[in-house]
Every structure is written in C-alpha cells, then in structure tokens.
Amino acid sequence: MGRIFGKAVLCGLAGVLAWVFTEGFFPKTVPHPDWQRAEMIYILLVSGFVGVTAGIFHGLQKGGRLAPVVSGVLGLVLGMVGGMLGSAVGGALVQKFFDPNIFNLVGMSVSQVAARTLAIAPLGLFLGAAIGATLMSRRGVVSGMVGGLCGGALAGALFDVVGAVLGPVMLVSQGGGASEVGGPSRAMLALFIGLFIGLMTAIFERASRQAWLRLVLGRNEGREWPIDAAQTLIGRDERAHVPLFGDPQIPALAAVITKQGHEYVLSDPGSALGVGLNGYQVTQPAILRQNDMIQLGQLQIQFLMKGSAQRQAAEGRPQAQPITPVNQTVQQDPLTPSMPTQAMQSPSTGGIALKATAGPCIGHSFLITGPTEIGREVHGITIGEDPNVSRRHASVTPTPAGLTVSDLGSTNGTFVNGVKVQNAEVRPGDTIKIGTTVFQVTST
C-alpha cells in the first residue's frame, strides 16, 4: 500500500506545482479575453506534470536508468494530449446537458456538482490512459482509464464542496465587474486531479494484475514486476521486462516466463549462469506455482498469482509435476561474454558439490571440479549480499576423500562443523560456514 499512496502523493504535489507555474497566466478580472488561453495552459501543465510524475514513478519501480526517462517522457507527452482531449470532451458534455453558465453561479448546488463531475471525469479518463500507457501494457492502459475516470469524477465532485467552504475567500464582487481571486480554488482542483487520479490508477493497476514477480533477496528487495507480456524477459538489460542489476553474473537474458493460457512457464534461454527453481536447476520448461522461488545468481525472485489466477492455472495443468534435477550441459549465453564465475550446477555423478542450506545462496548447488575461491569479489563462488564475507574469504580444493578448505585471511573466519579453522579436510555430510552462508558438502 505504501507504493499506492506514494504515487498518489507525488502526483498530487505535481498538480500543485503545475498550478504554481500557471497561476500567473490568469487575468485578475473577469470576464477577460485571455481567460480561455489561461485555462488551456492550466490544463496542459497540470496534466503534463501529473503524467510525467506517474511515468517516472513507474520507471523507477521497474528499475534501470533508461526506464524512468522513457516512461517520464511518454507520461509528459501523452498526459498533455490526454488532458486537452479530456477537457474538450468534458466541456462538450456540460454544454449538452447543463446550462453553459452553471459554473458562474455563486454558491453550490447539486447541479453544479454534477456538472463539475461530468467536466473533470473525461479528463481523468484520458489522463489515466496516458498514465497507464507508461506501464507499456494493454492492462496498464485499461486499468489507467478506469482508475482515471474514477479519480477524475471524485476530484470534480469534491471540488465544489470544498469551493463552497472557501467561497467567501475566493470570490468577491466589486462594482460592475469582479475581482478574480480563484487561485486557491484552482490550486485545490490541481491537487485533487493529481491526488485522486494517481491514487485510483494505482489501486486499479494493483487490482487488475494476475501474476507478478517480487524480488525477495538482492539489491532493491521488495521491488515488484507485473507479468503482462506473452513472453516476459528477465535479465541484466534495460530492455528486459524485469531488469536485474544487483548481480554482475546475471547475463542480459537470464530467464523467460511464457504465458500459455492460464499457465506461466519458466524456461532457461541457455545462459551460462543457469536458472534455479526452488533449489533445483531448470533443465526444461517448468510451470510456475504460487510462491515458487526463482534463483538467478545471488538474486531470489518470488512468483505470485491472484487467487482466481491460481485456481484457473490449477484447473489447466493436471499433469504438472514437481521440478526434479536433470543432467544438463550448460550452454554459453550468446548475449554476454564468457565469464569465469562458477554457475549453479545440476547434480551429476562422481563429483563433490557444495549445497547452500542457509544464507543468500540458499538452495544453490555448486559443483567443485578444481580449486575454487569463495568470497564477495571472486571468480569462483560469489556471495555478494553478505557483509560478513570478505572479498577473498576462503578456498576449496577437491581431494580423493572430499575437499580441503583453506581460510584466505578473512575478517570473520571460516568454520567447519561449527569450529573455526585455517585449513581442514571435509567429507560429504560436513558443513562449511562462511559469513551467514552454510554449505553442506555432498557427493554427486
């Protein structure tokens, strides 16, 4: 809910900021020939400021450096266009169903509230569509339209109610003309447009998503990405639907989620890193279930679905089986250069491996085929999310009986079966603790 209210507050502040820039264009007396021009500038800037703010917010939620810029520019342009279209439609509707002079009446009436609601609701509809378009999905546009319509109607309905309370301050008559003091009223309308449209578009966007991913371990923990595309691309690339930048091991294209009917299928595109699912390496397309945990390098991503989507998916996959490890030759990802980092391995036979049972790498299994260093900045087993791990913490070397473990002068030490060691021999079943990560030695 924090993100929903955060977006609403930011959009509300953007509306007020737009009012600050536009208030100087309004004439000080009414009627005035420049009044229509001032109103056009007001609508353009309020819609544009709210649109660019929502777009940047969406871009920051997605992640990366390019997304906020692209979404912000899109929100600015489409927001201004949508604001003008909505204003024109709203004005035409009021002209058709109400007395054109209804907004010039002093005080407040039910008809005036209805007319104002009808005037602002279309602006919210088109501005909401512009905000939804920054999500780069059809669902975003639809949810934005619905949320914007509701937000615009709410802003219009409350405007005259608040205006009636502030009426004595906003409007005074002077002789045959009138001194125009409607600035506070316009400020309130700009605030309402940004606040309510930002709030309602966020609520409807959240309510309409069927499946999404949540980063639970790694940089920017808690970030979420909706799964809307037919193929959702995950990787260290600005163009990916789910851009991941917390682990340099992750390639440009690390994993793909394909929507097939009511099912979401996870597959490995052939990256050198490999894709983990609930502790096992994905060797063939796997149907995702609620709360499944996807491992990509040091990052862990949770797959989530709405209740209705869960039921539909369950009805459509009676043959689904738990994921089991299968031997697979890891292929190099053609999008990135070869890296010496040791990737997660599928269990094979005749070797020795370290399986993480606690810590940032939990669930990952590392096949040890030669001398391998462990630390935060190594080309072996990298544990980059643990401050208790040194840059070069320890090393392991295969032996006929198991492994030799050597501490490399780490700050917090290396432990075998709970005992701090400098050098030690370990066998299958023993444990090695480095920082908060616990590895169990296993034979494969």
Side-chain angles (χ1 to χ4, degrees):
M1 294 299 292
R3 292 185 180 88
I4 292 177
F5 289 113
K7 177 183 174 183
V9 170
L10 289 174
C11 288
L13 292 176
V16 174
L17 183 61
W19 166 79
V20 171
F21 281 99
T22 60
E23 185 58 24
F25 291 97
F26 281 92
K28 299 306 180 184
T29 60
V30 289
H32 195 283
D34 291 336
W35 191 263
Q36 188 173 3
R37 179 178 67 92
E39 283 188 335
M40 181 180 299
I41 296 173
Y42 174 81
I43 293 168
L44 273 173
L45 264 67
V46 170
S47 302
F49 276 38
V50 172
V52 71
T53 301
I56 292 174
F57 182 87
H58 291 160
L60 290 173
Q61 293 301 304
K62 180 179 180 181
R65 298 176 181 176
L66 188 60
V69 176
V70 173
S71 297
V73 172
L74 192 62
L76 174 64
V77 175
L78 294 182
M80 295 174 73
V81 173
M84 293 306 298
L85 287 175
S87 176
V89 172
L93 291 174
V94 171
Q95 290 283 332
K96 181 175 179 60
F97 295 105
F98 292 91
D99 184 336
N101 298 314
I102 191 169
F103 296 138
N104 297 326
L105 301 177
V106 178
M108 183 193 71
S109 65
V110 174
S111 295
Q112 198 172 35
V113 172
R116 188 81 65 180
T117 302
L118 187 61
I120 304 300
L123 187 151
L125 174 72
F126 285 96
L127 180 55
I131 291 174
T134 64
L135 292 169
M136 311 294 183
S137 69
R138 182 187 303 174
R139 182 186 63 85
V141 174
V142 174
S143 63
M145 291 174 66
V146 177
L149 180 65
C150 295
L154 187 59
L158 289 179
F159 172 75
D160 282 295
V161 176
V162 176
V165 176
L166 300 177
V169 180
M170 294 188 295
L171 184 64
V172 294
S173 298
Q174 291 184 347
S179 176
E180 207 289 315
V181 288
S185 178
R186 288 187 290 273
M188 192 64 65
L189 180 59
L191 171 64
F192 284 173
I193 288 175
L195 183 68
F196 292 130
I197 292 178
L199 176 66
M200 299 307 293
T201 54
I203 289 175
F204 278 91
E205 190 280 324
R206 177 67 64 90
S208 65
R209 64 184 184 179
Q210 295 297 306
W212 63 98
L213 299 174
R214 177 184 297 156
L215 183 64
V216 297
L217 181 62
R219 192 176 72 184
N220 299 315
E221 291 178 6
R223 175 168 287 170
E224 296 181 352
W225 299 272
I227 302 177
D228 292 324
Q231 278 197 325
T232 299
L233 308 181
I234 307 171
R236 191 163 51 88
D237 192 303
E238 291 277 0
R239 297 165 296 178
H241 298 95
V242 182
L244 302 173
F245 300 102
D247 184 349
Q249 302 180 59
I250 295 177
L253 181 59
V256 178
I257 296 178
T258 304
K259 192 174 187 303
Q260 299 179 359
H262 299 302
E263 298 176 346
Y264 296 85
V265 180
L266 175 69
S267 60
D268 182 353
S271 68
L273 181 66
V275 179
L277 180 63
N278 300 325
Y280 295 101
Q281 186 169 4
V282 173
T283 60
Q284 55 187 354
I287 297 174
L288 291 168
R289 296 181 175 86
Q290 170 75 352
N291 293 320
D292 275 352
M293 197 66 67
I294 302 169
Q295 294 97 23
L296 296 171
Q298 300 164 18
L299 307 183
Q300 294 192 25
I301 304 171
Q302 187 178 20
F303 174 78
L304 298 163
M305 302 175 71
K306 288 184 65 175
S308 59
Q310 294 178 45
R311 291 191 295 272
Q312 291 173 339
E315 293 169 359
R317 51 167 168 75
Q319 302 95 341
Q321 299 295 326
I323 303 301
T324 56
V326 180
N327 293 340
Q328 180 187 32
T329 301
V330 179
Q331 299 177 352
Q332 175 63 36
D333 184 352
L335 298 179
T336 55
S338 177
M339 299 180 67
T341 304
Q342 182 167 341
M344 179 180 59
Q345 304 289 333
S346 295
S348 57
T349 58
I352 197 85
L354 295 179
K355 183 175 182 179
T357 59
C361 299
I362 186 170
H364 288 200
S365 184
F366 302 89
L367 182 63
I368 308 301
T369 58
T372 303
E373 290 190 354
I374 306 173
R376 286 190 292 110
E377 299 179 10
V378 297
H379 294 301
I381 300 176
T382 305
I383 310 175
E385 300 294 332
D386 190 341
N388 296 314
V389 176
S390 299
R391 291 194 307 164
R392 296 179 66 245
H393 196 108
S395 67
V396 292
T397 303
T399 66
L403 296 172
T404 298
V405 182
S406 301
D407 187 83
L408 299 179
S410 67
T411 301
N412 295 308
T414 301
F415 297 81
V416 172
N417 296 327
V419 178
K420 189 174 183 179
V421 300
Q422 183 62 42
N423 294 282
E425 296 287 333
V426 295
R427 292 178 172 81
D430 291 338
T431 60
I432 304 170
K433 183 179 180 182
I434 295 175
T436 60
T437 298
V438 177
F439 294 103
Q440 184 172 30
V441 182
T442 61
S443 58
T444 61

